[in-house]
Amino acid sequence: MIELRNVSFSYGDKEVLNRLSLTIPPQERIALMGPSGCGKTTLLRLIMGLEKPQEGQILNRPHPVAAVFQEDRLLKHLTVLENTALAGGDPAKAAEILSELGLGDELQSSPTSLSGGMRRRVAIARALCTPSRLLILDEPFNGLDEQTKAHTAKVILKHWQGAILAVTHLQEEAELLGAKIHKMT
Amino acid sequence: MNKIPTWLKKTLGALFWIALWWLISLLLNKELLVPTPAQTVVVLGGLIQTGDFWLAAALSMARILIGFLLAALLGTLGGILADRCPPFDWLFSPLLHLIRSVPVASFIILALVWIHTPWLPVFISFLMVLPLFWGNIRTGMANTDIKELEMGKVLGLSLPAIWQKIRLPALAPYFRSACVTGLGFAWKSGIAAEVICRPDASLGDLLQSAKLQLETPSVFALTIVVAILSLGLELALNRIWKEEQA
């Protein structure tokens, strides 16, 4: 169980999180929702270990974390398959997930030759191949049409057995992941 | 004009300058000042038939390449350390500024006092190329995409994997650029050092001897040899990069 206790964080004088507490049980799915600038991405960065809380504690922080960042962050010099298996994932499993996400013909392609929606799915496949107990999704369905969103959510839920913490602006996306909504203000 | 092949454009450009050279030499009509291209080619033809010339060319190239490779190795390590360890950067930054701003001739004359003659061109080539690799690699380290590094850290990539998959590909263009520019630097400074310190069996010594004996066509021919060797190495390097990328 991952636990945030009274976590506060500021960028300079700008307070982003104030004594926030959150528990993420194993296999729990949580969707963080709230207006832009309310600290959703900062919270994810704290859990990923990219920032340190100025006050409070994060207990049982997982490492590594399977993460889909706001940007795809794919490596241009690697193929789609190499990007997907980057974190030491089994290439056969990576190929299987990519095929399920409709990218079976692009395994040896460069990410630069893909559309934005395809790159997004590669980033999701890479996270699904990362051995972790927590999957972080920061606006995972950006650039995907409604049908692809639904299909991608199914693939995520099929291949991910651990906890999920997602940031989204749309309630439908949270519902696709079957996630409890946690509103941030 | 865009339909003209690149090789033809380059050949036409070179022919224009050779024609201009020819014209100037004909107008002056003094071999001592400016020999004609034909006279230079005849001297060059004679030079390449002597064993001494090939020995000098091989040893000059070896000295310059040793200096260049040492600079590439230490400059790369220095650039990486300068980015990772600020005190190291503060310590060496003034020295690198000094090397960049002091004329090469001053270093050659100073180094003549300290270094055994055959090793001087090695040292001078090294010294002139070192700041280039150092600076380029340091810039490459600073410009590595922080988001990619964060991704590697979060997904749990090991340190060697982060270097192999993220750092080194990001540094490669900076390293290549330093190699191409550095080879030219190494040649110019290495030959200049040879001309001044005159080690046995060196192109610089042949150049200086030709100058002292007022054999201007030989000076021209040897200068062309130096330019061809420098260009040849640069082309070979570019070919290696292209094959690697293919």
Side-chain angles (χ1 to χ4, degrees):
Chain A
M1 189 177 306
I2 303 155
E3 198 178 345
L4 287 84
R5 281 189 194 160
N6 298 318
V7 167
S8 298
F9 190 85
S10 306
Y11 289 107
D13 294 338
K14 194 187 170 200
E15 186 178 69
V16 183
L17 298 173
N18 181 22
R19 300 180 66 79
L20 182 132
S21 293
L22 179 71
T23 302
I24 311 168
Q27 300 177 333
E28 181 77 298
R29 297 176 210 153
I30 297 172
L32 300 173
M33 295 186 73
S36 296
C38 72
K40 301 184 295 290
T41 296
T42 302
L43 176 60
L44 299 188
R45 288 179 65 81
L46 285 163
I47 295 172
M48 288 189 282
L50 296 174
E51 308 285 357
K52 285 186 179 160
Q54 287 143 357
E55 277 177 45
Q57 285 179 297
I58 301 176
L59 304 175
N60 289 324
R61 196 176 67 74
H63 183 75
V65 176
V68 176
F69 297 87
Q70 237 173 43
E71 319 80 15
D72 305 319
R73 303 193 188 189
L74 301 177
L75 301 177
K76 295 183 202 86
H77 56 281
L78 300 183
T79 64
V80 163
L81 183 62
E82 287 167 342
N83 265 288
T84 307
L86 184 69
D90 173 18
K93 189 189 172 194
E96 181 195 335
I97 294 174
L98 284 167
S99 295
E100 288 180 29
L101 287 170
L103 296 165
D105 293 335
E106 306 291 348
L107 301 186
Q108 299 308 321
S109 303
S110 161
T112 53
S113 67
L114 304 182
S115 69
M118 290 162 106
R119 285 200 298 273
R120 201 69 191 138
R121 280 176 279 161
V122 177
I124 290 170
R126 180 179 63 192
L128 292 175
C129 288
T130 303
S132 176
R133 53 196 167 91
L134 176 66
L135 173 64
I136 279 184
L137 303 166
D138 196 354
E139 301 185 24
F141 301 124
N142 270 357
L144 303 184
D145 60 58
E146 295 306 315
Q147 198 180 346
T148 312
K149 273 184 195 178
H151 178 70
T152 303
K154 275 185 193 164
V155 175
I156 291 173
L157 296 178
K158 177 184 168 190
H159 288 280
W160 193 261
Q161 274 78 47
I164 296 177
L165 182 60
V167 161
T168 176
H169 290 288
L170 300 170
Q171 191 162 340
E172 306 88 84
E173 291 184 359
E175 285 165 4
L176 284 175
L177 291 168
K180 283 182 191 166
I181 292 171
H182 180 97
K183 292 214 167 163
M184 291 176 71
T185 51
Chain B
M1 282 297 275
N2 285 339
K3 286 182 180 172
I4 301 172
T6 311
W7 67 267
L8 187 58
K9 285 180 196 169
K10 286 183 175 173
T11 309
L12 287 173
L15 284 175
F16 169 80
W17 291 107
I18 291 171
L20 190 66
W21 169 17
W22 204 307
L23 189 67
I24 292 169
S25 62
L26 288 177
L27 286 174
L28 287 173
N29 198 23
K30 280 184 182 163
E31 187 187 308
L32 188 65
L33 288 178
V34 183
T36 63
Q39 287 165 334
T40 307
V41 169
V42 169
V43 171
L44 188 60
L47 267 178
I48 60 173
Q49 289 177 39
T50 63
D52 285 352
F53 165 77
W54 288 109
L55 182 67
L59 288 179
S60 287
M61 187 182 269
R63 288 186 198 102
I64 289 163
L65 279 181
I66 290 171
F68 171 81
L69 292 173
L70 278 173
L73 181 69
L74 293 181
T76 301
L77 287 175
I80 291 169
L81 281 172
D83 178 76
R84 305 307 295 160
C85 174
F88 186 83
D89 191 29
W90 305 333
L91 187 67
F92 281 93
S93 181
L95 188 66
L96 291 163
H97 279 294
L98 184 77
I99 297 172
R100 280 197 196 101
S101 50
V102 171
V104 64
S106 306
F107 273 121
I108 297 169
I109 292 162
L110 270 175
L112 259 173
V113 181
W114 311 319
I115 296 172
H116 186 51
T117 300
W119 290 101
L120 189 86
V122 175
F123 176 70
I124 293 297
S125 299
F126 165 78
L127 209 60
M128 292 299 111
V129 178
L130 181 78
L132 192 68
F133 274 95
W134 193 297
N136 268 31
I137 296 297
R138 194 184 175 287
T139 307
M141 287 290 288
N143 287 350
T144 304
D145 190 343
I146 187 81
K147 289 182 174 175
E148 288 183 359
L149 291 170
E150 281 182 356
M151 178 273 293
K153 185 182 167 192
V154 170
L155 298 190
L157 266 65
S158 64
L159 193 62
I162 285 178
W163 272 90
Q164 188 198 347
K165 303 277 169 68
I166 300 172
R167 284 275 189 203
L168 292 181
L171 291 180
Y174 295 90
F175 183 79
R176 283 176 196 152
S177 156
C179 279
V180 174
T181 316
L183 263 182
F185 273 28
W187 268 102
K188 282 178 201 155
S189 56
I191 295 293
E194 284 186 348
V195 166
I196 294 176
C197 75
R198 302 190 67 182
D200 292 337
S202 68
L203 288 175
D205 182 46
L206 292 180
L207 258 170
Q208 186 68 300
S209 300
K211 186 214 140 195
L212 292 173
Q213 289 161 31
L214 301 177
E215 290 171 0
T216 314
S218 293
V219 175
F220 270 62
L222 285 162
T223 306
I224 288 171
V225 167
V226 172
I228 288 172
L229 287 175
S230 173
L231 196 68
L233 274 176
E234 194 182 314
L235 287 174
L237 208 61
N238 279 328
R239 200 184 176 118
I240 293 169
W241 300 145
K242 274 187 188 165
E243 276 175 13
E244 256 185 20
Q245 281 171 342

